[in-house]
Amino acid sequence: MDVRPSFDAYIRTDGVTLDDRDAALLRAIDREGSLNHAAEALGRSYAHGQRRIVELEEAFGSLVERRRGGSGGGGSELTETARELLTAFERTQRSFEGVADIAETVLTGEITGRDGELVTVETGAGPVRALVPEGDGRVQLTVRADAVTLTDPADTPVSEHTSARNRFSGTVTGVESGERIVRIAVDVGADEPLLGLVTQDSREKLGLDPGSDVIVSFKATATRGISV
């Protein structure tokens, strides 16, 4: 099983995901008083916005009440379900931001080879392929946690079947949980652990607890470096 996290908070049910773009649409409807004005304010298509509301309502329940005609000319307003959903989404965002803060790993080492902008750097974890446009000698590499893939050692695909050029076996040393997002620290032999972000569900499926064995991988193009 591959876990490819994202830095975007979301709420999912029945196969439908409500993300920041959807939350912005609901907030705009609440603010503007109609779907038409909300779409206009956001610079989006009214038809697309209408279709999206229908998709969300099929999964989450009634979200927008339509008012037709009358002295006010009709319009739309959010249901209590929609307001509760927005509250839950904002809570998820805050939880995520707390876990994701400074979610990156810094590795240092010496450049041992170069092929254009791509270099090979010898680090404590072993050789790492990275993007370092200029320079040679000692460099500092940064790996964002959202670029890290965590894999069960038993299910890890062979290297020919993946584009991730950097792959290390490691042991989970730390688990920091938010409401939906978990930051996993993995010891791969470097000066500091590599960090990855997964959902709570993915953490449970992979059995990611301190002491667990895991494969960490990330693409060379997701690893940036500067000379130090």
Side-chain angles (χ1 to χ4, degrees):
M1 175 186 296
D2 255 357
V3 177
R4 298 181 183 278
S6 167
F7 263 79
D8 296 324
Y10 64 89
I11 294 177
R12 178 178 295 154
T13 188
D14 294 337
V16 177
T17 299
L18 180 140
D19 58 19
D20 187 62
R21 184 176 173 85
D22 297 319
L25 177 59
L26 291 176
R27 294 189 193 102
I29 292 172
D30 189 36
R31 183 177 63 250
E32 301 294 334
S34 76
L35 175 57
N36 186 36
H37 291 158
E40 183 178 352
L42 295 173
R44 302 183 192 176
S45 160
Y46 169 78
H48 182 273
Q50 188 175 47
R51 287 195 300 271
R52 185 56 180 165
I53 291 297
V54 171
E55 292 172 355
L56 292 171
E57 289 188 324
E58 288 176 350
F60 293 96
S62 177
L63 301 177
V64 178
E65 292 182 346
R66 287 82 172 176
R67 301 187 307 273
R68 298 184 180 278
S71 60
S76 300
E77 63 182 15
L78 299 188
T79 65
E80 188 62 28
T81 298
R83 296 187 189 283
E84 291 175 356
L85 188 61
L86 282 175
T87 298
F89 179 78
E90 290 162 2
R91 187 167 59 245
T92 297
Q93 277 188 315
R94 289 194 297 271
S95 170
F96 178 83
E97 289 166 357
V99 173
D101 188 36
I102 318 178
E104 63 182 26
T105 304
V106 176
L107 303 172
T108 56
E110 296 284 336
I111 293 178
T112 59
R114 176 179 286 278
D115 181 11
E117 294 182 339
L118 282 173
V119 302
T120 300
V121 179
E122 191 62 39
T123 72
V128 174
R129 292 278 285 171
L131 280 175
V132 183
E134 300 177 345
D136 53 22
R138 193 164 184 79
V139 294
Q140 185 178 81
L141 306 178
T142 301
V143 185
R144 286 178 56 102
D146 62 334
V148 171
T149 299
L150 303 179
T151 313
D152 187 323
D155 295 332
T156 301
V158 296
S159 57
E160 299 83 53
H161 298 161
T162 177
S163 60
R165 296 292 301 273
N166 300 305
R167 179 182 298 185
F168 304 97
S169 298
T171 302
V172 175
T173 59
V175 176
E176 184 178 349
S177 298
E179 185 169 331
R180 294 181 58 89
I181 304 299
V182 185
R183 182 164 60 191
I184 306 294
V186 182
D187 180 8
V188 293
D191 293 336
E192 61 178 282
L194 272 168
L195 301 177
L197 295 179
V198 299
T199 64
Q200 289 281 10
D201 288 344
S202 294
R203 180 229 172 154
E204 293 174 4
K205 289 177 182 178
L206 286 173
L208 296 175
D209 294 304
S212 302
D213 293 329
V214 68
I215 301 297
V216 177
S217 57
F218 48 94
K219 295 182 179 181
T221 51
T223 312
R224 306 303 175 99
I226 58 172
S227 298
V228 294

